[in-house]
Amino acid sequence: MSQSLVDDQAEAALGLGRPVGDGSPAEPGRPAGIRRVLRFLIRRPGLLLSAVVLMLVVLAAFWPDLFTSQDPLKGVPSQNFRGPSGSHWFGTDELGRDVFSRVVHGAQLSLKATLIAVLVAFVVGGLLGVVAGFVGRWVDDVLMRFVDVLLSIPALFLSLALVTALGYGTVKVAVAVGIASVASFARVARAEVLRVRQAVFVEASRSCGARWYSVLGRHVLPNAAGPVIVLATLDFGSSILAVSALSFLGYGAPPPAPEWGTLISDGRNYLANAWWLTALPGLAIAATVLAANRIARALDGEWARQR
C-alpha cells in the first residue's frame, strides 16, 4: 500500500478528506472571499491605514525612485539646514542633502536588515521548536535548556554582544538581531507542535501506518505554522526597532549610508536648530512599527473571530 494511500485513508476515516463531486463550484467562492476581506478592512480604518503605510514602506524599499528623484548622497552646501517645505518635504541636513530622499533610500537598508533578521529568527527558531516538540525526550530537554539560556539574556544586550563579535555592517546587524529573537520563535513553535501532535487526526494517521515525515509534513507543520507566522509579523516591528537602535549606536552601515538609525544619530547634534533631522526619521520608524504591530494584532485574533 502506497504512502499517499495510507494518508488518504487516515483523512477519510476522520472525515477530513476533500469531498469529490459535491457539485459546489470553486470560482464563485473567490469573489465572496474578496468581499469578506474588503468588508473586514473597511470596518477597521486603523488596520486599513496600517496596511497602506506598510505597503508604502515596502515600495520605498524596493522602488525608491517612485517617491523621489533626488540623490540621497549629494548635498548642496548653500541649502543646508532648510526646514520642511514644498521643495524639501523633510528639510535638508548639515550638508544640504534632502532628508526625505535619505529616509526613502534608507528604507531599503533598514527593511533589508529587518527581513533578514525575521527570516533568521523564523527559520532557526522554528526549526529548534519543531524538532524539540516533535522528537521529544532528551532532545527536547537539551534544546529547551539552550533556549532558556537565550531567554535569560536581554535581546538588545545579546544583539550587542553578537554584532561586536561579528563586526559592523547591515547584514551582520541583521543576523545578530535575528539570533537574539530565536528563543521566542522556538518556544511558540514547540508549543504549537506539541498541541497538534496530540490531535486526533495525527493519532489516526499514525495508527494507519503513516511515516513520521508524512505526519510532520502533511499534518503537524501546516496546522502549527499559523501562530509562528503571526509572531513573525509581530517581530517585524521589534526587529525594526532593534536594527535602528544598533545603527544609532554606530554598528550599521558606515556613513554616508542613510540607515534610519544613523539618520537619527546624525541629527541629534542639531536638535536645537534643526529638529526635523531627528524627528521626521523617528516618525517614519514609529509609523512603520505601529503599522506592523496593528497588522499582527489583526492576524492574531480579529481575522480568526471574523471567519
Side-chain angles (χ1 to χ4, degrees):
M1 183 179 295
S2 64
Q3 184 61 41
S4 61
L5 184 58
V6 169
D7 292 330
D8 292 339
Q9 287 180 349
E11 293 179 353
L14 293 167
L16 298 175
R18 192 175 296 173
V20 179
D22 58 350
S24 59
E27 291 300 325
R30 294 181 179 177
I34 295 175
R35 286 196 300 268
R36 187 168 65 248
V37 171
L38 292 177
R39 188 164 56 248
F40 178 79
L41 292 174
I42 291 173
R43 292 177 178 175
R44 294 163 176 82
L47 177 60
L48 183 60
L49 179 61
S50 299
V52 171
V53 170
L54 204 58
M55 183 174 61
L56 290 176
V57 172
V58 172
L59 289 176
F62 290 97
W63 298 282
D65 293 337
L66 291 175
F67 299 91
T68 178
S69 59
Q70 300 193 43
D71 189 349
L73 304 180
K74 182 180 180 180
V76 181
S78 61
Q79 297 184 4
N80 63 335
F81 293 124
R82 298 291 177 89
S85 62
S87 57
H88 302 286
W89 290 1
F90 284 8
T92 60
D93 61 6
E94 70 278 7
L95 299 178
R97 296 173 296 190
D98 183 69
V99 178
F100 178 75
S101 175
R102 290 177 63 77
V103 170
V104 169
H105 285 81
Q108 183 176 17
L109 294 172
S110 297
L111 193 63
K112 170 187 171 183
T114 301
L115 291 176
I116 294 175
V118 173
L119 183 63
V120 168
F122 183 84
V123 173
V124 178
L127 183 61
L128 290 177
V130 168
V131 172
F134 193 76
V135 177
R137 299 188 296 276
W138 63 270
V139 177
D140 185 17
D141 294 335
V142 171
L143 292 179
M144 286 302 103
R145 297 299 77 77
F146 173 71
V147 170
D148 290 340
V149 171
L150 292 180
L151 286 174
S152 66
I153 306 174
L156 185 58
F157 291 165
L158 182 58
S159 300
L160 283 171
L162 291 172
V163 78
T164 302
L166 295 174
Y168 295 8
T170 302
V171 176
K172 295 176 181 178
V173 165
V175 172
V177 172
I179 294 176
S181 303
V182 161
S184 57
F185 280 85
R187 280 291 185 183
V188 173
R190 174 181 177 271
E192 289 301 310
V193 169
L194 289 176
R195 178 185 62 83
V196 176
R197 194 181 67 174
Q198 300 172 357
V200 177
F201 60 90
V202 174
E203 296 296 333
S205 180
R206 285 176 172 173
S207 65
C208 290
R211 302 292 179 86
W212 66 268
Y213 53 82
S214 178
V215 173
L216 180 64
R218 295 189 63 179
H219 302 296
V220 175
L221 290 181
N223 290 282
V228 183
I229 294 175
V230 172
L231 178 61
T233 309
L234 187 60
D235 189 66
F236 184 83
S238 302
S239 297
I240 290 178
L241 290 178
V243 168
S244 299
L246 293 178
S247 299
F248 178 86
L249 296 175
Y251 291 99
E259 277 190 323
W260 283 352
T262 305
L263 294 179
I264 297 176
S265 177
D266 293 341
R268 62 179 173 167
N269 299 321
Y270 308 100
L271 282 174
N273 61 330
W275 56 268
W276 56 87
L277 297 181
T278 298
L280 296 182
L283 287 176
I285 296 175
T288 305
V289 172
L290 291 175
N293 290 346
R294 180 64 184 90
I295 293 174
R297 191 177 69 183
L299 292 176
D300 188 19
E302 295 178 13
W303 176 248
R305 290 193 298 267
Q306 183 74 11
R307 295 177 64 187

